[in-house]
Amino acid sequence: MEFNIDNYKFNNAKTLDKSTLAYSPKFGKGINETISSVHIPVEIYYGDKDILNGLKWTEGLDDVWKQNAEDDPNLLWQYFGGQKGFLRSYPANAWTEAKPDLYDVRRRPWYTQGSSSPKNMMILVDTSGSTTGEALQLMKETVKQLLETLGENDFVAVANYSKTEEIQDTVRYVSECFQGFVQATHRNKQVLKEAVMDLQASGMAKWEDALEFAFKAFKEFEQDEKNSSMNNVGADCNRIIMVLTDGATAKDEAATVLNRENPDKQIRIFTYAIGKTAAAIEAVRWLACKNRGYFSKIPAMGAIRTTVQEFFTVLNRPLALAYKQFSGWTSVYEDALGLGMMITLTLPVYNRSTDSNNQTILGVMGVDVTTAEMENSTPWQKLGPNGYAFAMNWNGYTVFHPNLKAQLGYLKDPPNVDFLEVEHENPAKIELRKMMINNLTGNANIETFVISKDLRYASEKNRLYFYTGIPNSTFSLGLVMPDYSIVYPEVTGYQAKQLLEPIVADADQMQQGVHAPLWICNSKDIVVDNYNNTNDTETFPPNPVRDMVNGSSSCNDHLVQHFLWDYVTTQNVTEHWKALSQAYKSATEVVFVSTNSGLTRLYPHNMTEQLLNMANPRENQEYKRAIDEDHVLFSAPYKAVKDNDPNTTGPVVSVMKSISMTEKGGNTYKPAVVGAKMHQTYLTELMNNTSQGQCSDLSLTLFCYLIDDGAFIVSTNQEKDEIGRFFGATEPALMMELYNGSSPVYNRVQNYDWQGVCKQLQLKTSAGPRSFFIPSIPVFEMLTVKWWTSSVMWAYSNFNLYNWIFESAKSFAYAQQDPGDGGSEKNESCVTEQVQYYFTDVTSLYSELVCENCTRQYSVEKITGTNLLLVVAEPPCGPECDPLSPEPKRGPYDTREDPDVPAGGPGVCEASRSPRYRLRPQGCYDFDDREEYDKCRGCGLMAPSILFILSIQLAVSLLGRVLQQG
């Protein structure tokens, strides 16, 4: 039976009545759990009979989906993507895609990966003289759209063919960077797109040469696929040639090549007649139909998007004929419905009708799991502030990781960010990556650079890595922690209502000087914006202290007990702070203690702004750095440029010290950090007093600087608007000496941020030698741990520390390209280069900076027990000397500004020649003798049996088993 648009109604997601929707915190938007909604691409006519028939026979999914949601309340979106382009999803929701709405389910990563096996694709572009003008422009855009249909399990090569007197090679790869097949990652596709845009039309096209070139390339690449040293390069499955041309010459020469090189038609050929074809297209059609392919015409730009994806209908024939329950996990991608980065469990749906020849699938069923949900299933709360969980897939690409910026929407979808691109690469990490890809279980102690989240600091630390494969999936899970997180307190017996009720009763809880993080009573990465969509005044703003007192089911009992333990243990801290001398009180703006449980206490209690700045110790960079060190950590707010304010007194400086304790077995645990926000005037006075007046403010005799372990100025006797800047920007010649001199005080580590976000492209003579008094700065009274060891340590001496990781390890299983809005400045993905500096073992240095006619003496001394370096130097030599010293490199620098760097970023060409280790997806469906090859110019779908709906139950069952292993 057929339906027309007049007698069949469906719930159109684009026009859904929002009054029928109720806000859901789980989905972060309004939903209707009684129905599903439908999205149809803008270029598809709503009244198309195939669309209407498809919508009619998928109505029965609603009852199945509702039952699934009742059986598993944690299920997120459930949906079916039809081969004709419609999407039915449950629960119903209003479509929020920005206009123009270019969403097509058949182009989404979960659909393309779930509907066919991986492929090696050779794209041949006709650049003969007849393509000059519109035809060539159409071909360029068609190549770009073809590339967008490929995912990380596919491999691609692009070549153009035409012969001129100047160019002897009839066929050549479009990119000098890629002389063969490369993995279809976002960066590699960017290189190819850029190369294609530079193609010029000239000469004459010879099909036989182009086909010879393609078959030879496949033979060579097949050898690479079998070569173990090539690390499982290639799809080792579908092999296809895409021919783009504006017409054809005689087919006899091409037939000779095909009979010799492709007699069994193992390599499919798809052809596209582009533009107002300059010659007859019969040969173009023949080429596809005789080689298990498909012929399409692209007369204009508007036809490109829908036409290029027609080859999927052909590629999924062997899968449909095999009729396999080909369930699988996708790569990570961004959810079009707003839940962030996710993976999908997919299942192709087949036509079970008895009168169907079953030549193609009907579509793909999907069930989502967000990467945040995966991460929240790990024991993150036991890993400590510098521990974390991560996951990677069989390509070595990151699924979730604290350094993966895709979670913030910065990356192209899908991101294809390798594990070695979010961590500092070294041989031990390369081996770890291989073990995880192979789904092995083990652990490793790795010395690595730890880079701060703002990319300003680096330090060499030991980290413990534990890893295991996740059953029934293509993912592996890793847990990382410092050695002081191996032991963990076991805490029970505290009553939240008894302890915290006085705080809840206070109308202004901030005045209590106590703060609890949101994640105690919600997920680790709670999205606070979600609460803005509810009218429930009882739950907004979120208040974890109130929730703990009320015994809310959203609170994690383990986290609550740890918080209450810290709350009781630190109750006497305020009295200690009140007893500090007036001199120290006047030197500080606020003092505080923050703990691993998320508790923050501060004094004075009315410093609410400071409290909010430290609202989440686990995500606070200063806290994470301080607890990783045993010395006192100083840091000033970063400043990229001077603000030229001569009256400034300078910013307050953070001063922090970790608290360490050791259990009987010798293992160290760090429960907290104590610190202060210190006024700049106190630091400069202290520096001047301890130097016997030589470092007085704005001295013309000596230039004095306190700089930290990253070479950023913390204090100076010069202009205060220098504080917070990179020392190399203020004193370039001196910084070069500290890094590159005969006794360097700093080392540096150079790296790339593969997830960068960039704007769119559019001398005095010395008076002679003198000696310096090098002061030593004492560790300040408020940072001593005596109060902790004397008044608080008794509480920690009785707790149960246990080596949790070795007991339990076995039980744990790029900026999005913006199309612009009429001229406003936009961001886009890019690769940036940056440098971090860190201390060497040199503790003191007395030397001189020699210029052409000037000698500048300087002295350097590390301040014991801190991360500070005191630099005392004579005044700069003057303009005739200092400008000769280039500013030391720090960055970040946009690598796109380097003409020698290809579009995909530095090293992309070399990486294609030495690919990293990977595993191919299991299962290949690329050939079936029953396939009807004559369906090469269009085909229709028979109305299916409703029995296919039951296939979703398999998907949910598989999903449940995988999550249980997590």
Side-chain angles (χ1 to χ4, degrees):
M1 177 180 179
E2 295 182 359
F3 300 85
N4 61 55
I5 198 167
D6 295 323
N7 62 22
Y8 179 70
K9 304 298 182 182
F10 60 91
N11 301 309
N12 190 336
K14 299 178 184 179
T15 59
L16 204 61
D17 184 358
K18 294 187 178 181
S19 66
T20 65
L21 307 178
Y23 177 76
S24 165
K26 182 172 74 171
F27 291 96
K29 62 190 307 185
I31 63 169
N32 186 332
E33 294 179 313
T34 66
I35 57 174
S36 63
S37 56
V38 173
H39 175 274
I40 300 175
V42 66
E43 62 265 35
I44 295 179
Y45 173 50
Y46 283 20
D48 181 272
K49 66 177 183 179
D50 288 327
I51 293 292
L52 294 175
N53 282 332
L55 296 180
K56 181 62 180 178
W57 51 252
T58 56
E59 282 181 338
L61 284 172
D62 283 21
D63 292 337
V64 178
W65 282 334
K66 282 187 279 188
Q67 186 60 52
N68 291 338
E70 290 181 14
D71 295 341
D72 185 354
N74 293 320
L75 275 181
L76 296 174
W77 302 119
Q78 303 176 70
Y79 43 83
F80 171 77
Q83 183 81 322
K84 288 297 183 178
F86 72 88
L87 170 70
R88 182 182 289 277
S89 60
Y90 175 86
N93 64 96
W95 194 257
T96 56
E97 182 81 4
K99 294 182 178 180
D101 178 15
L102 300 179
Y103 181 91
D104 188 323
V105 65
R106 295 166 296 181
R107 300 176 65 85
R108 296 299 293 162
W110 64 269
Y111 188 94
T112 58
Q113 293 183 45
S115 62
S116 63
S117 298
K119 50 200 165 292
N120 296 331
M121 176 187 288
M122 167 68 76
I123 303 176
L124 296 175
V125 185
D126 179 356
T127 52
S128 60
S130 63
T131 65
T132 300
E134 181 185 17
L136 185 58
Q137 294 305 313
L138 288 173
M139 289 185 191
K140 292 179 179 180
E141 187 61 30
T142 300
V143 172
K144 291 167 63 177
Q145 293 298 327
L146 280 171
L147 290 172
E148 286 304 304
T149 68
L150 304 178
E152 65 187 53
N153 292 318
D154 302 316
F155 285 73
V156 63
V158 184
N160 66 298
Y161 60 100
S162 63
K163 187 174 184 178
T164 65
E165 294 181 0
E166 295 79 15
I167 303 175
Q168 296 303 311
D169 292 332
T170 306
V171 192
R172 53 215 163 267
Y173 290 109
V174 298
S175 170
E176 294 183 3
C177 181
F178 298 151
Q179 294 295 297
F181 289 91
V182 295
Q183 194 170 6
T185 64
H186 172 62
R187 286 198 290 272
N188 289 346
K189 290 188 288 188
Q190 287 296 101
V191 174
L192 292 171
K193 289 177 184 178
E194 184 179 84
V196 166
M197 296 307 293
D198 292 334
L199 291 178
Q200 301 293 324
S202 63
M204 180 184 299
K206 296 188 67 175
W207 267 21
E208 62 271 25
D209 290 346
L211 293 173
E212 288 269 18
F213 179 91
F215 289 126
K216 180 181 178 182
F218 275 112
K219 287 180 180 179
E220 293 174 349
F221 194 52
E222 186 176 356
Q223 295 303 311
D224 289 341
E225 289 180 311
K226 296 177 180 178
N227 187 347
S228 60
S229 65
M230 294 301 290
N231 291 325
N232 291 318
V233 70
D236 195 26
C237 194
N238 286 293
R239 291 176 292 167
I240 60 178
I241 298 174
M242 320 297 280
V243 179
L244 280 61
T245 181
D246 67 339
T249 56
K251 62 186 179 183
D252 293 343
E253 293 84 357
T256 301
V257 176
L258 293 170
N259 291 335
R260 182 178 68 249
E261 301 292 347
N262 199 37
D264 54 1
K265 300 177 174 58
Q266 290 292 324
I267 298 178
R268 296 181 187 268
I269 300 180
F270 296 83
T271 58
Y272 297 88
I274 307 293
K276 300 173 182 178
T277 52
I281 62 173
E282 181 57 35
V284 184
R285 182 186 295 113
W286 163 85
L287 183 59
C289 293
K290 292 300 182 181
N291 291 275
R292 298 195 304 134
Y294 197 89
F295 165 75
S296 302
K297 289 188 64 175
I298 299 180
M301 283 288 181
I304 294 177
R305 278 177 55 88
T306 54
T307 304
V308 296
Q309 62 200 25
E310 290 177 346
F311 74 91
F312 277 109
T313 305
V314 178
L315 283 191
N316 61 44
R317 287 176 188 166
L319 177 61
L321 290 166
Y323 194 59
K324 296 289 186 180
Q325 290 184 337
F326 186 57
S327 61
W329 290 98
T330 68
S331 307
V332 62
Y333 67 96
E334 185 176 6
D335 177 34
L337 298 179
L339 287 182
M341 302 307 292
M342 61 173 44
I343 58 175
T344 298
L345 182 61
T346 62
L347 193 69
V349 178
Y350 306 104
N351 192 340
R352 294 185 178 182
S353 301
T354 57
D355 57 347
S356 170
N357 59 7
N358 198 32
Q359 284 286 309
T360 187
I361 66 171
L362 297 173
V364 177
M365 196 76 71
V367 180
D368 289 339
V369 179
T370 65
T371 58
E373 183 181 0
M374 293 179 67
E375 186 175 5
N376 286 331
S377 299
T378 68
W380 59 268
Q381 69 275 13
K382 294 184 177 181
L383 301 177
N386 285 312
Y388 56 90
F390 69 95
M392 72 173 72
N393 65 16
W394 283 0
N395 281 304
Y397 296 143
T398 308
V399 177
F400 65 85
H401 190 288
N403 295 334
L404 183 64
K405 297 178 183 177
Q407 297 171 115
L408 303 177
Y410 292 168
L411 292 185
K412 184 67 177 177
D413 171 26
N416 306 137
V417 179
D418 198 279
F419 167 68
L420 298 177
E421 295 170 351
V422 293
E423 300 216 359
H424 187 78
E425 182 176 346
N426 60 34
K429 297 272 187 74
I430 294 174
E431 183 64 19
L432 170 72
R433 177 183 177 277
K434 184 175 182 179
M435 296 298 102
M436 293 186 66
I437 290 174
N438 288 334
N439 277 17
L440 299 179
T441 298
N443 62 81
N445 191 337
I446 298 178
E447 184 174 359
T448 183
F449 277 103
V450 176
I451 310 296
S452 64
K453 206 158 192 176
D454 64 1
L455 306 178
R456 292 172 58 202
Y457 296 95
S459 56
E460 288 185 286
K461 301 292 181 184
N462 280 326
R463 290 292 189 257
L464 301 172
Y465 285 76
F466 300 85
Y467 55 90
T468 189
I470 302 177
N472 302 316
S473 78
T474 56
F475 308 108
S476 283
L477 173 68
L479 302 178
V480 185
M481 67 194 73
D483 53 9
Y484 55 81
S485 292
I486 291 178
V487 291
Y488 189 81
E490 184 70 25
V491 185
T492 58
Y494 290 98
Q495 300 297 319
K497 186 175 182 65
Q498 176 184 349
L499 293 170
L500 302 181
E501 199 161 37
I503 299 180
V504 176
D506 192 328
D508 187 359
Q509 294 173 28
M510 293 291 187
Q511 299 300 318
Q512 295 280 347
V514 176
H515 180 76
L518 294 174
W519 41 259
I520 284 184
C521 291
N522 210 292
S523 66
K524 178 175 180 288
D525 296 310
I526 182 172
V527 182
V528 179
D529 286 346
N530 285 351
Y531 286 86
N532 294 331
N533 297 314
T534 178
N535 295 321
D536 187 356
T537 57
E538 294 300 317
T539 59
F540 181 78
N543 188 327
V545 174
R546 179 194 58 218
D547 291 342
M548 283 188 278
V549 170
N550 293 337
S552 171
S553 60
S554 66
C555 297
N556 182 300
D557 185 64
H558 169 80
L559 297 178
V560 170
Q561 288 296 309
H562 199 175
F563 178 87
L564 295 175
W565 175 55
D566 285 338
Y567 177 83
V568 171
T569 305
T570 59
Q571 277 183 322
N572 64 340
V573 173
T574 300
E575 297 305 316
H576 170 81
W577 287 333
K578 289 179 179 179
L580 291 173
S581 65
Q582 186 58 41
Y584 286 116
K585 288 181 180 179
S586 62
T588 59
E589 184 171 286
V590 62
V591 289
F592 60 89
V593 58
S594 295
T595 74
N596 289 346
S597 71
L599 168 75
T600 298
R601 286 185 183 270
L602 80 166
Y603 178 82
H605 293 166
N606 61 351
M607 300 300 294
T608 56
E609 182 178 352
Q610 294 287 359
L611 178 63
L612 291 173
N613 290 339
M614 297 177 287
N616 189 350
R618 286 176 176 268
E619 298 301 324
N620 184 289
Q621 178 175 282
E622 293 177 344
Y623 182 91
K624 291 161 71 75
R625 291 189 65 222
I627 208 161
D628 220 14
E629 304 291 349
D630 293 324
H631 54 248
V632 179
L633 196 78
F634 290 75
S635 63
Y638 173 65
K639 183 186 294 183
V641 295
K642 296 176 62 175
D643 52 25
N644 296 316
D645 181 3
N647 299 318
T648 181
T649 57
V652 295
V653 173
S654 295
V655 190
M656 304 175 76
K657 174 71 172 66
S658 65
I659 304 301
S660 298
M661 48 193 302
T662 304
E663 51 94 43
K664 295 179 181 179
N667 291 311
T668 299
Y669 177 65
K670 294 185 175 183
V673 164
V674 62
K677 298 287 186 178
M678 184 166 291
H679 295 303
Q680 186 63 225
T681 52
Y682 181 80
L683 291 177
T684 53
E685 289 175 6
L686 182 61
M687 183 166 54
N688 186 46
N689 291 339
T690 53
S691 65
Q692 300 179 350
Q694 297 184 81
C695 287
S696 60
D697 247 6
L698 298 177
S699 170
L700 299 178
T701 305
L702 290 178
F703 281 49
C704 302
Y705 301 92
L706 283 173
I707 57 179
D708 66 16
D709 51 325
F712 294 93
I713 300 173
V714 174
S715 186
T716 180
N717 68 341
Q718 299 303 303
E719 295 179 356
K720 296 301 182 286
D721 57 0
E722 296 284 2
I723 296 171
R725 297 189 72 203
F726 175 53
F727 186 60
T730 301
E731 292 272 10
L734 200 50
M735 183 64 205
M736 287 296 290
E737 282 290 305
L738 297 183
Y739 159 68
N740 207 29
S742 56
S743 297
V745 181
Y746 284 99
N747 277 333
R748 73 179 188 181
V749 54
Q750 187 172 353
N751 53 70
Y752 294 103
D753 179 8
W754 300 96
Q755 311 168 74
V757 181
C758 303
K759 298 297 181 184
Q760 282 185 342
L761 293 177
Q762 322 200 347
L763 255 289
K764 177 181 177 180
T765 304
S766 171
R770 66 197 301 178
S771 61
F772 294 101
F773 172 74
I774 303 299
S776 60
I777 298 180
V779 178
F780 309 116
E781 176 185 336
M782 73 280 297
L783 292 177
T784 64
V785 297
K786 291 181 181 178
W787 65 268
W788 190 275
T789 56
S790 61
S791 304
V792 181
M793 188 61 185
W794 65 269
Y796 285 102
S797 65
N798 295 317
F799 74 87
N800 176 23
L801 278 176
Y802 66 101
N803 196 330
W804 70 275
I805 184 63
F806 290 105
E807 294 279 339
S808 314
K810 294 180 181 179
S811 66
F812 304 123
Y814 291 131
Q816 177 72 35
Q817 297 292 125
D818 197 317
D821 59 355
S824 61
E825 194 173 46
K826 295 294 180 180
N827 292 336
E828 63 183 3
S829 296
C830 63
V831 180
T832 59
E833 179 185 4
Q834 57 275 314
V835 171
Q836 293 87 25
Y837 292 84
Y838 60 100
F839 283 150
T840 67
D841 293 332
V842 176
T843 58
S844 61
L845 175 67
Y846 181 83
S847 187
E848 59 185 17
L849 182 63
V850 179
C851 194
E852 293 179 357
N853 60 349
C854 169
T855 300
R856 185 185 185 192
Q857 298 183 17
Y858 66 90
S859 186
V860 174
E861 186 80 15
K862 284 183 182 175
I863 308 303
T864 304
T866 74
N867 69 324
L868 292 179
L869 184 74
L870 177 63
V871 179
V872 181
E874 290 184 326
C877 290
E880 71 277 7
C881 181
D882 282 354
L884 299 179
S885 301
E887 182 176 326
K889 200 170 187 178
R890 196 188 79 82
Y893 303 101
D894 185 351
T895 59
R896 298 174 303 173
E897 298 175 2
D898 185 343
D900 296 327
V901 175
V908 68
C909 302
E910 294 78 4
S912 70
R913 294 188 283 271
S914 300
R916 288 172 171 148
Y917 182 79
R918 65 184 288 267
L919 286 183
R920 301 185 184 103
Q922 295 178 345
C924 174
Y925 300 93
D926 63 339
F927 190 87
D928 195 294
D929 291 329
R930 296 168 293 171
E931 184 177 338
E932 297 177 358
Y933 305 145
D934 59 336
K935 293 188 175 182
C936 59
R937 285 181 288 175
C939 58
L941 296 180
M942 302 294 291
S945 166
I946 202 65
L947 292 175
F948 86 92
I949 297 174
L950 298 177
S951 61
I952 187 61
Q953 295 176 336
L954 172 62
V956 175
S957 176
L958 290 172
L959 175 63
R961 289 204 297 269
V962 170
L963 293 180
Q964 289 173 4
Q965 295 296 327

